[in-house]
Amino acid sequence: MGDVAVGARSGREPEGGSGRPEEEPAEYADGAGGEGPDDGADSGRGEGKKRIPFWLEIPLLIVVALVLALLIKTFLVQAFSIPSESMQNALQKGDRVLVDKLTPWFGGEPERGEVIVFHDPDGWLANEPVAEPNSVQRFLSFIGLMPSSEEKDLIKRVIGVPGDTVECNGTGPLKVNGKALDEPYVFPGNTPCSPGDGGTFKVTVPDGKLWVMGDHRQSSLDSRYHQNDKNAGMVPVDKVVGRAIVVAWPPTRWSTLPVPDTFDQPGLNAALGAAPGVLGLAGAVPLVLWRRRVTARLTDG
């Protein structure tokens, strides 16, 4: 007569007139014990499950949020505040950056051109005034909801990695493995290097160390000016907190911090790329001479 509703069950009423379709589950049709309808089944369903009062859920949610924030800060990303102008114009004083802490956990090491945060290697900040954070600031920075209250951290750009030769004469250009860098990120009006003590240098970066410099070259006490410390101005890789990946605050300054193109120029890794070949050749020569000597003895015999 009319359209049948989609999904409706159909069945022939069995003889005996129970009024229940054949395929209908007994536990839904019958009440307790399956002996008849239970008019209160629907109304009483779920009464045994008690929900946690809302006023108890709030502290639980706060605890969970704090634990998650602490885990994120420890293993993933952490906020840091920029305290000076040494990285202008990429970073301004007062900027907040997010630092990737995950990559070092998997053995990744900083590469040329990256902006990194690192712990003070050897008293670089000894004479810098330190603002003592209050207890609230310490707690919020501990869980990662505020920039780090650790005042012994610095932020610079990686110029040389282990095996690199970094040099600069006069006002520049800055060279890595003999290749001049094109540095548009250097603060306008600055020269790539500074004439005078510390500004002119030629160093080879040892294993496990980094050579770092600020973008505001004439206003950055970086590796150039700490060559008399125990690391010869280098930053130990194990002092690196992580790579700064984005300017997160203020919103008008939001931007990423990519590696400049000059660090991808052909030939920059030539010196490092040649090293395995040279070592292989040095190792092969004695082997060839030994083989020739053995062959000659066998022939003579």
Side-chain angles (χ1 to χ4, degrees), residues 122-141:
D122 187 28
W124 288 22
L125 298 175
N127 299 320
E128 294 293 326
V130 176
E132 188 68 22
N134 58 41
S135 57
V136 175
Q137 290 172 328
R138 286 180 182 276
F139 175 73
L140 292 178
S141 64

PDB file of all heavy atoms in Angstrom, residues 122-141:
ATOM      1  N   ASP A 122      81.476  28.356  26.927  1.00  0.00           N
ATOM      2  CA  ASP A 122      82.567  28.591  27.882  1.00  0.00           C
ATOM      3  C   ASP A 122      82.592  30.058  28.324  1.00  0.00           C
ATOM      4  O   ASP A 122      83.532  30.789  28.040  1.00  0.00           O
ATOM      5  CB  ASP A 122      83.909  28.200  27.261  1.00  0.00           C
ATOM      6  CG  ASP A 122      85.056  28.262  28.258  1.00  0.00           C
ATOM      7  OD1 ASP A 122      84.795  28.074  29.461  1.00  0.00           O
ATOM      8  OD2 ASP A 122      86.203  28.501  27.830  1.00  0.00           O
ATOM      9  N   GLY A 123      81.540  30.468  29.005  1.00  0.00           N
ATOM     10  CA  GLY A 123      81.513  31.817  29.561  1.00  0.00           C
ATOM     11  C   GLY A 123      81.309  32.940  28.566  1.00  0.00           C
ATOM     12  O   GLY A 123      81.727  34.072  28.811  1.00  0.00           O
ATOM     13  N   TRP A 124      80.654  32.664  27.452  1.00  0.00           N
ATOM     14  CA  TRP A 124      80.386  33.727  26.479  1.00  0.00           C
ATOM     15  C   TRP A 124      79.480  34.807  27.071  1.00  0.00           C
ATOM     16  O   TRP A 124      79.542  35.964  26.668  1.00  0.00           O
ATOM     17  CB  TRP A 124      79.723  33.145  25.231  1.00  0.00           C
ATOM     18  CG  TRP A 124      80.629  32.327  24.358  1.00  0.00           C
ATOM     19  CD1 TRP A 124      81.793  31.704  24.718  1.00  0.00           C
ATOM     20  CD2 TRP A 124      80.441  32.024  22.970  1.00  0.00           C
ATOM     21  NE1 TRP A 124      82.331  31.038  23.652  1.00  0.00           N
ATOM     22  CE2 TRP A 124      81.528  31.211  22.562  1.00  0.00           C
ATOM     23  CE3 TRP A 124      79.463  32.341  22.039  1.00  0.00           C
ATOM     24  CZ2 TRP A 124      81.664  30.727  21.257  1.00  0.00           C
ATOM     25  CZ3 TRP A 124      79.576  31.859  20.734  1.00  0.00           C
ATOM     26  CH2 TRP A 124      80.670  31.070  20.358  1.00  0.00           C
ATOM     27  N   LEU A 125      78.633  34.421  28.008  1.00  0.00           N
ATOM     28  CA  LEU A 125      77.681  35.366  28.605  1.00  0.00           C
ATOM     29  C   LEU A 125      78.076  35.756  30.028  1.00  0.00           C
ATOM     30  O   LEU A 125      77.240  36.221  30.800  1.00  0.00           O
ATOM     31  CB  LEU A 125      76.274  34.759  28.610  1.00  0.00           C
ATOM     32  CG  LEU A 125      75.662  34.445  27.243  1.00  0.00           C
ATOM     33  CD1 LEU A 125      74.333  33.737  27.408  1.00  0.00           C
ATOM     34  CD2 LEU A 125      75.488  35.709  26.417  1.00  0.00           C
ATOM     35  N   ALA A 126      79.356  35.591  30.349  1.00  0.00           N
ATOM     36  CA  ALA A 126      79.808  35.828  31.722  1.00  0.00           C
ATOM     37  C   ALA A 126      79.530  37.250  32.194  1.00  0.00           C
ATOM     38  O   ALA A 126      79.203  37.479  33.359  1.00  0.00           O
ATOM     39  CB  ALA A 126      81.296  35.518  31.842  1.00  0.00           C
ATOM     40  N   ASN A 127      79.651  38.221  31.293  1.00  0.00           N
ATOM     41  CA  ASN A 127      79.491  39.623  31.682  1.00  0.00           C
ATOM     42  C   ASN A 127      78.130  40.199  31.319  1.00  0.00           C
ATOM     43  O   ASN A 127      77.912  41.409  31.432  1.00  0.00           O
ATOM     44  CB  ASN A 127      80.588  40.475  31.039  1.00  0.00           C
ATOM     45  CG  ASN A 127      81.975  40.058  31.484  1.00  0.00           C
ATOM     46  OD1 ASN A 127      82.178  39.744  32.660  1.00  0.00           O
ATOM     47  ND2 ASN A 127      82.929  40.054  30.555  1.00  0.00           N
ATOM     48  N   GLU A 128      77.227  39.339  30.859  1.00  0.00           N
ATOM     49  CA  GLU A 128      75.906  39.814  30.470  1.00  0.00           C
ATOM     50  C   GLU A 128      74.979  39.865  31.684  1.00  0.00           C
ATOM     51  O   GLU A 128      74.952  38.924  32.488  1.00  0.00           O
ATOM     52  CB  GLU A 128      75.290  38.899  29.407  1.00  0.00           C
ATOM     53  CG  GLU A 128      76.020  38.913  28.083  1.00  0.00           C
ATOM     54  CD  GLU A 128      75.912  40.244  27.371  1.00  0.00           C
ATOM     55  OE1 GLU A 128      74.841  40.895  27.514  1.00  0.00           O
ATOM     56  OE2 GLU A 128      76.871  40.649  26.698  1.00  0.00           O
ATOM     57  N   PRO A 129      74.211  40.949  31.843  1.00  0.00           N
ATOM     58  CA  PRO A 129      73.259  41.011  32.963  1.00  0.00           C
ATOM     59  C   PRO A 129      72.157  39.974  32.783  1.00  0.00           C
ATOM     60  O   PRO A 129      71.675  39.735  31.676  1.00  0.00           O
ATOM     61  CB  PRO A 129      72.698  42.439  32.872  1.00  0.00           C
ATOM     62  CG  PRO A 129      72.906  42.847  31.445  1.00  0.00           C
ATOM     63  CD  PRO A 129      74.175  42.163  31.002  1.00  0.00           C
ATOM     64  N   VAL A 130      71.763  39.362  33.879  1.00  0.00           N
ATOM     65  CA  VAL A 130      70.751  38.303  33.843  1.00  0.00           C
ATOM     66  C   VAL A 130      69.558  38.734  34.689  1.00  0.00           C
ATOM     67  O   VAL A 130      69.712  39.058  35.869  1.00  0.00           O
ATOM     68  CB  VAL A 130      71.314  36.976  34.368  1.00  0.00           C
ATOM     69  CG1 VAL A 130      70.206  35.919  34.411  1.00  0.00           C
ATOM     70  CG2 VAL A 130      72.468  36.501  33.497  1.00  0.00           C
ATOM     71  N   ALA A 131      68.380  38.735  34.078  1.00  0.00           N
ATOM     72  CA  ALA A 131      67.152  39.046  34.814  1.00  0.00           C
ATOM     73  C   ALA A 131      66.663  37.790  35.515  1.00  0.00           C
ATOM     74  O   ALA A 131      66.457  36.755  34.884  1.00  0.00           O
ATOM     75  CB  ALA A 131      66.082  39.575  33.860  1.00  0.00           C
ATOM     76  N   GLU A 132      66.500  37.879  36.821  1.00  0.00           N
ATOM     77  CA  GLU A 132      66.073  36.720  37.602  1.00  0.00           C
ATOM     78  C   GLU A 132      64.572  36.504  37.441  1.00  0.00           C
ATOM     79  O   GLU A 132      63.775  37.365  37.804  1.00  0.00           O
ATOM     80  CB  GLU A 132      66.413  36.929  39.075  1.00  0.00           C
ATOM     81  CG  GLU A 132      66.185  35.699  39.937  1.00  0.00           C
ATOM     82  CD  GLU A 132      67.161  34.580  39.619  1.00  0.00           C
ATOM     83  OE1 GLU A 132      68.244  34.864  39.056  1.00  0.00           O
ATOM     84  OE2 GLU A 132      66.828  33.420  39.938  1.00  0.00           O
ATOM     85  N   PRO A 133      64.141  35.368  36.871  1.00  0.00           N
ATOM     86  CA  PRO A 133      62.711  35.108  36.711  1.00  0.00           C
ATOM     87  C   PRO A 133      62.046  34.797  38.045  1.00  0.00           C
ATOM     88  O   PRO A 133      62.687  34.262  38.960  1.00  0.00           O
ATOM     89  CB  PRO A 133      62.672  33.894  35.779  1.00  0.00           C
ATOM     90  CG  PRO A 133      63.965  33.196  36.028  1.00  0.00           C
ATOM     91  CD  PRO A 133      64.969  34.274  36.339  1.00  0.00           C
ATOM     92  N   ASN A 134      60.759  35.141  38.165  1.00  0.00           N
ATOM     93  CA  ASN A 134      60.034  34.801  39.386  1.00  0.00           C
ATOM     94  C   ASN A 134      59.580  33.347  39.320  1.00  0.00           C
ATOM     95  O   ASN A 134      59.775  32.652  38.316  1.00  0.00           O
ATOM     96  CB  ASN A 134      58.854  35.746  39.607  1.00  0.00           C
ATOM     97  CG  ASN A 134      57.873  35.730  38.443  1.00  0.00           C
ATOM     98  OD1 ASN A 134      57.559  34.682  37.891  1.00  0.00           O
ATOM     99  ND2 ASN A 134      57.377  36.913  38.057  1.00  0.00           N
ATOM    100  N   SER A 135      58.947  32.879  40.392  1.00  0.00           N
ATOM    101  CA  SER A 135      58.575  31.464  40.482  1.00  0.00           C
ATOM    102  C   SER A 135      57.565  31.066  39.415  1.00  0.00           C
ATOM    103  O   SER A 135      57.621  29.951  38.872  1.00  0.00           O
ATOM    104  CB  SER A 135      58.022  31.163  41.878  1.00  0.00           C
ATOM    105  OG  SER A 135      56.913  31.997  42.177  1.00  0.00           O
ATOM    106  N   VAL A 136      56.630  31.964  39.102  1.00  0.00           N
ATOM    107  CA  VAL A 136      55.627  31.660  38.074  1.00  0.00           C
ATOM    108  C   VAL A 136      56.297  31.521  36.712  1.00  0.00           C
ATOM    109  O   VAL A 136      55.996  30.591  35.943  1.00  0.00           O
ATOM    110  CB  VAL A 136      54.538  32.749  38.041  1.00  0.00           C
ATOM    111  CG1 VAL A 136      53.572  32.488  36.888  1.00  0.00           C
ATOM    112  CG2 VAL A 136      53.779  32.800  39.360  1.00  0.00           C
ATOM    113  N   GLN A 137      57.218  32.447  36.391  1.00  0.00           N
ATOM    114  CA  GLN A 137      57.923  32.382  35.116  1.00  0.00           C
ATOM    115  C   GLN A 137      58.767  31.115  35.023  1.00  0.00           C
ATOM    116  O   GLN A 137      58.848  30.494  33.954  1.00  0.00           O
ATOM    117  CB  GLN A 137      58.798  33.627  34.943  1.00  0.00           C
ATOM    118  CG  GLN A 137      58.017  34.908  34.727  1.00  0.00           C
ATOM    119  CD  GLN A 137      58.904  36.132  34.749  1.00  0.00           C
ATOM    120  OE1 GLN A 137      59.916  36.175  35.458  1.00  0.00           O
ATOM    121  NE2 GLN A 137      58.543  37.136  33.968  1.00  0.00           N
ATOM    122  N   ARG A 138      59.390  30.740  36.124  1.00  0.00           N
ATOM    123  CA  ARG A 138      60.188  29.510  36.122  1.00  0.00           C
ATOM    124  C   ARG A 138      59.310  28.292  35.823  1.00  0.00           C
ATOM    125  O   ARG A 138      59.682  27.422  35.030  1.00  0.00           O
ATOM    126  CB  ARG A 138      60.864  29.321  37.487  1.00  0.00           C
ATOM    127  CG  ARG A 138      62.035  30.255  37.747  1.00  0.00           C
ATOM    128  CD  ARG A 138      62.633  29.972  39.120  1.00  0.00           C
ATOM    129  NE  ARG A 138      63.719  30.872  39.425  1.00  0.00           N
ATOM    130  CZ  ARG A 138      64.976  30.716  39.044  1.00  0.00           C
ATOM    131  NH1 ARG A 138      65.299  29.657  38.308  1.00  0.00           N
ATOM    132  NH2 ARG A 138      65.911  31.582  39.387  1.00  0.00           N
ATOM    133  N   PHE A 139      58.135  28.239  36.461  1.00  0.00           N
ATOM    134  CA  PHE A 139      57.250  27.097  36.263  1.00  0.00           C
ATOM    135  C   PHE A 139      56.735  27.042  34.829  1.00  0.00           C
ATOM    136  O   PHE A 139      56.762  25.987  34.186  1.00  0.00           O
ATOM    137  CB  PHE A 139      56.078  27.163  37.241  1.00  0.00           C
ATOM    138  CG  PHE A 139      55.046  26.092  37.020  1.00  0.00           C
ATOM    139  CD1 PHE A 139      55.306  24.779  37.356  1.00  0.00           C
ATOM    140  CD2 PHE A 139      53.806  26.409  36.462  1.00  0.00           C
ATOM    141  CE1 PHE A 139      54.360  23.787  37.143  1.00  0.00           C
ATOM    142  CE2 PHE A 139      52.865  25.425  36.241  1.00  0.00           C
ATOM    143  CZ  PHE A 139      53.139  24.103  36.585  1.00  0.00           C
ATOM    144  N   LEU A 140      56.280  28.179  34.311  1.00  0.00           N
ATOM    145  CA  LEU A 140      55.732  28.203  32.957  1.00  0.00           C
ATOM    146  C   LEU A 140      56.801  27.901  31.907  1.00  0.00           C
ATOM    147  O   LEU A 140      56.520  27.240  30.907  1.00  0.00           O
ATOM    148  CB  LEU A 140      55.079  29.563  32.682  1.00  0.00           C
ATOM    149  CG  LEU A 140      53.809  29.870  33.490  1.00  0.00           C
ATOM    150  CD1 LEU A 140      53.290  31.261  33.155  1.00  0.00           C
ATOM    151  CD2 LEU A 140      52.729  28.828  33.225  1.00  0.00           C
ATOM    152  N   SER A 141      58.010  28.369  32.137  1.00  0.00           N
ATOM    153  CA  SER A 141      59.080  28.055  31.192  1.00  0.00           C
ATOM    154  C   SER A 141      59.500  26.595  31.317  1.00  0.00           C
ATOM    155  O   SER A 141      59.884  25.959  30.334  1.00  0.00           O
ATOM    156  CB  SER A 141      60.286  28.974  31.419  1.00  0.00           C
ATOM    157  OG  SER A 141      60.856  28.758  32.700  1.00  0.00           O
TER     158      SER A 141
END
